[in-house]
């Protein structure tokens, strides 16, 4: 564990959350532009939303723990 700190963990989780949110937005744009079939969109969108939810939950929990 190189230079691990709660702040670096928060930063990494926030970066993952931002990337997952951006991925979801890109999938929506592709679907609306008809560049992504419905089945593909639903599968990939659900996966990226799940990742976003997990990252957000971890981020909030870590922030909560650090405030104690």
């Amino acid at each position: 564990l190189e230079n691990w700190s709660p702040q670096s963990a928060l930063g990494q989780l926030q970066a993952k959350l931002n990337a997952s949110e951006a991925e979801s937005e890109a999938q929506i744009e592709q679907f609306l532009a008809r560049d992504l079939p419905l089945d593909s969109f639903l599968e990939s969108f659900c996966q990226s939303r799940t990742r976003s939810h997990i990252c957000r939950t971890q981020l909030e929990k870590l922030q909560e723990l650090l405030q104690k």
Side-chain angles (χ1 to χ4, degrees):
L1 296 174
E2 53 188 75
N3 298 331
W4 186 90
S5 73
Q7 277 60 39
S8 68
L10 283 173
Q12 287 180 9
L13 283 171
Q14 187 64 59
K16 280 185 180 182
L17 177 58
N18 293 346
S20 194
E21 293 288 332
E23 182 182 26
S24 295
E25 289 295 322
Q27 290 163 343
I28 291 169
E29 294 295 324
Q30 283 183 309
F31 177 69
L32 293 176
R34 302 186 191 281
D35 292 335
L36 194 60
L38 178 60
D39 291 345
S40 299
F41 168 72
L42 291 176
E43 184 178 334
S44 61
F45 186 73
C46 286
Q47 288 172 353
S48 60
R49 295 312 301 157
T50 299
R51 278 193 302 273
S52 290
H53 178 72
I54 291 169
C55 285
R56 181 174 290 109
T57 303
Q58 290 173 334
L59 186 63
E60 289 170 357
K61 188 65 178 172
L62 183 54
Q63 288 170 331
E64 190 180 298
L65 290 170
L66 293 176
Q67 288 173 356
K68 291 183 178 182

